[in-house]
Amino acid sequence: MALEMQAPEVLFVEQTQSTVQEETPAVFEVPAAEEESKAVADQALPKSDAAGSERVESDASAVKASKPPAVMEAIEDAWLRCGVSTQLLEQQREQEGRLQSMLLHQVQRQIQTVVRGAALRCMSRLLHLATGGQNGWCKTVLLFDRYCGEVEIALDLLPMTCVAIVRIVSKMEQKAYPGVPESCWNVCADELRVWLMSAGYQVPEATEELILEQEMAVLRVLQWHTTQPCAQQWSLTFFTRFALLAGPGFQRSLQEVEMKLLALARAVIMCQQASAMLTHGTLALGLLCVCMVEAGLLPLEELQPEDFTAEEWRNLYMESQPSGMAPMCRLTAPQWAQILEMLTLSTGAAPPELKASARRAGEALGMALRGIRQAQQQMQARSGAEQHSI
């Protein structure tokens, strides 16, 4: 049955700025209780050349050209105090590995792109209703993709499924929809319901009893495994660990890189269902590498995949960049070498894994951007045809 609706990529283009601002956590503002950890990290690792609390204006002066830092006990303690210990990182990587293995061995069902886009828009509105923001959006989409990969989703129950998954995530985030009346769930899911009914589906209104039944159905399909880290969680872990290594003079650049990463991650997630080849962890790690290059903190050639020529890798990178601008590293060789070392320590990924993840993220991002441009061209063509007919 043919279904038509605005492409999800266009929604991303229209809403990226406001959503990223809302989604980006204050990763680099170390709480007062963690000042001791920050002080230890600042003393043990390279930091700003400026005195006192004065912010350094240039990245070149923010990172000293010394040999790569060693992860000492003080740094591990600082990571632990800020909730991003190496043990936690290893646990996240183990969870990711189990999910990847499961996705690899199951028959991955694919939901229609236009249907998935409509569902993601619906869940975005529902999430704002339930939590007052978009902070759990990546986790919501990850659970939705896992559920759709396991079962042949019934489109007549799709609005109910969206409500159920958002409520599950809200409970996990301990922001469970205080006093949200039943009618509000229906209103937020109504656009999706009306759209499906226009295509001939008989879609029931959401009642509390039906929503609870669907919640249980989703949880049974997922075998109650709902804690896999999403792209936003990976980003939080990576950037918090890196920030403690880099020191306060480098945090402005890191904040810009993180905002760019979350925006690009949202573009890819809107366009592609999670898979064994591109899990949320792989996506976050690869985009971190790509964004470091784009910010001028790493040379592109240092992340070149083993089976790529320099020209092939440069072309892939250029296709993944909205600006289409060639990268240029702003740091000296000793400085970017230190950045690369801190990147491996922060992520727990060796250079070969960084390169492989950068490749997969670059390919996915290029595909997403091509979809965005195609959708924009189609909208412009339709708009021009309508004006011509008038």
Side-chain angles (χ1 to χ4, degrees):
M1 187 171 296
L3 294 171
E4 295 182 0
M5 182 173 271
Q6 183 184 18
E9 299 89 344
V10 178
L11 181 76
F12 163 75
V13 171
E14 295 172 347
Q15 296 183 348
T16 293
Q17 294 300 324
S18 61
T19 302
V20 171
Q21 291 286 351
E22 188 172 18
E23 277 193 346
T24 305
V27 176
F28 309 112
E29 297 177 7
V30 182
E34 308 300 344
E35 286 300 322
E36 179 184 353
S37 300
K38 179 181 176 184
V40 170
D42 290 345
Q43 293 168 8
L45 294 165
K47 52 185 178 292
S48 168
D49 290 332
S53 60
E54 182 179 357
R55 184 175 65 81
V56 177
E57 296 296 334
S58 68
D59 295 330
S61 61
V63 182
K64 291 183 178 179
S66 60
K67 69 178 182 179
V71 180
M72 299 178 296
E73 184 177 348
I75 298 307
E76 288 288 0
D77 184 60
W79 283 341
L80 177 63
R81 288 173 182 269
C82 289
V84 288
S85 67
T86 298
Q87 182 180 7
L88 174 67
L89 178 64
E90 291 172 351
Q91 289 174 349
Q92 287 188 198
R93 288 172 68 87
E94 289 174 2
Q95 287 179 302
E96 186 87 352
R98 288 195 294 270
L99 176 60
Q100 189 174 33
S101 178
M102 182 183 67
L103 292 173
L104 188 63
H105 291 93
Q106 75 178 22
V107 178
Q108 187 75 2
R109 295 176 173 84
Q110 295 290 329
I111 185 172
Q112 281 182 275
T113 300
V114 67
V115 174
R116 182 175 178 273
L120 297 194
R121 287 192 292 274
C122 174
M123 289 189 291
S124 179
R125 291 190 294 271
L126 290 166
L127 192 64
H128 192 275
L129 169 71
T131 68
Q134 294 289 301
N135 208 36
W137 186 82
C138 288
K139 183 177 293 184
T140 301
V141 178
L142 180 58
L143 292 185
F144 179 78
D145 284 346
R146 285 186 54 211
Y147 178 73
C148 293
E150 292 276 0
V151 300
E152 193 71 41
I153 192 166
L155 292 185
D156 58 332
L157 294 178
L158 184 58
M160 212 88 65
T161 301
C162 292
V163 173
I165 290 176
V166 167
R167 289 185 19 158
I168 290 170
V169 171
S170 301
K171 293 170 184 176
M172 291 167 59
E173 297 287 318
Q174 298 181 344
K175 297 179 180 178
Y177 45 91
V180 177
E182 183 179 305
S183 58
C184 288
W185 297 113
N186 273 315
V187 170
C188 284
D190 196 51
E191 182 181 342
L192 178 58
R193 178 172 174 268
V194 170
W195 177 61
L196 289 167
M197 290 178 67
S198 69
Y201 292 94
Q202 298 298 317
V203 184
E205 289 193 7
T207 65
E208 185 65 22
E209 182 179 1
L210 290 175
I211 293 172
L212 289 174
E213 287 181 5
Q214 195 62 18
E215 280 189 50
M216 290 303 300
V218 170
L219 289 170
R220 282 194 295 268
V221 168
L222 299 180
Q223 299 180 357
W224 295 81
H225 296 157
T226 59
T227 58
Q228 281 83 5
C230 64
Q232 188 174 353
Q233 289 172 285
W234 281 109
S235 174
L236 176 64
T237 300
F238 292 157
F239 279 97
T240 304
R241 287 170 62 88
F242 197 106
L244 286 170
L245 285 173
F250 206 63
Q251 294 187 16
R252 181 174 181 178
S253 293
L254 288 178
Q255 287 176 323
E256 293 172 355
V257 171
E258 186 192 25
M259 290 185 65
K260 180 71 174 291
L261 185 154
L262 290 174
L264 297 179
R266 188 177 179 95
V268 173
I269 291 171
M270 282 292 294
C271 299
Q272 290 186 229
Q273 191 172 340
S275 67
M277 295 301 295
L278 190 70
T279 61
H280 278 220
T282 298
L283 176 63
L285 179 61
L287 288 179
L288 174 56
C289 295
V290 170
C291 290
M292 285 284 193
V293 171
E294 192 272 341
L297 303 178
L298 285 175
L300 179 63
E301 56 270 19
E302 285 302 310
L303 295 171
Q304 180 180 323
E306 302 295 338
D307 54 346
F308 269 52
T309 65
E311 183 179 2
E312 289 172 337
W313 175 229
R314 184 181 180 85
N315 289 340
L316 175 60
Y317 172 84
M318 296 294 288
E319 290 175 0
S320 72
Q321 293 301 298
S323 64
M325 295 179 61
M328 179 176 296
C329 185
R330 297 183 285 113
L331 304 181
T332 64
Q335 289 170 338
W336 65 250
Q338 189 172 349
I339 292 290
L340 185 59
E341 177 69 12
M342 289 192 289
L343 185 61
T344 62
L345 296 175
S346 302
T347 62
E353 184 179 354
L354 294 177
K355 294 176 181 180
S357 297
R359 172 187 176 176
R360 291 178 185 172
E363 291 171 341
L365 184 56
M367 186 182 302
L369 293 178
R370 286 192 294 273
I372 291 172
R373 296 187 185 105
Q374 184 179 4
Q376 289 176 328
Q377 290 171 358
Q378 291 174 349
M379 289 183 63
Q380 290 172 357
R382 285 197 296 267
S383 176
E386 291 174 358
Q387 292 179 358
H388 182 72
S389 64
I390 294 174

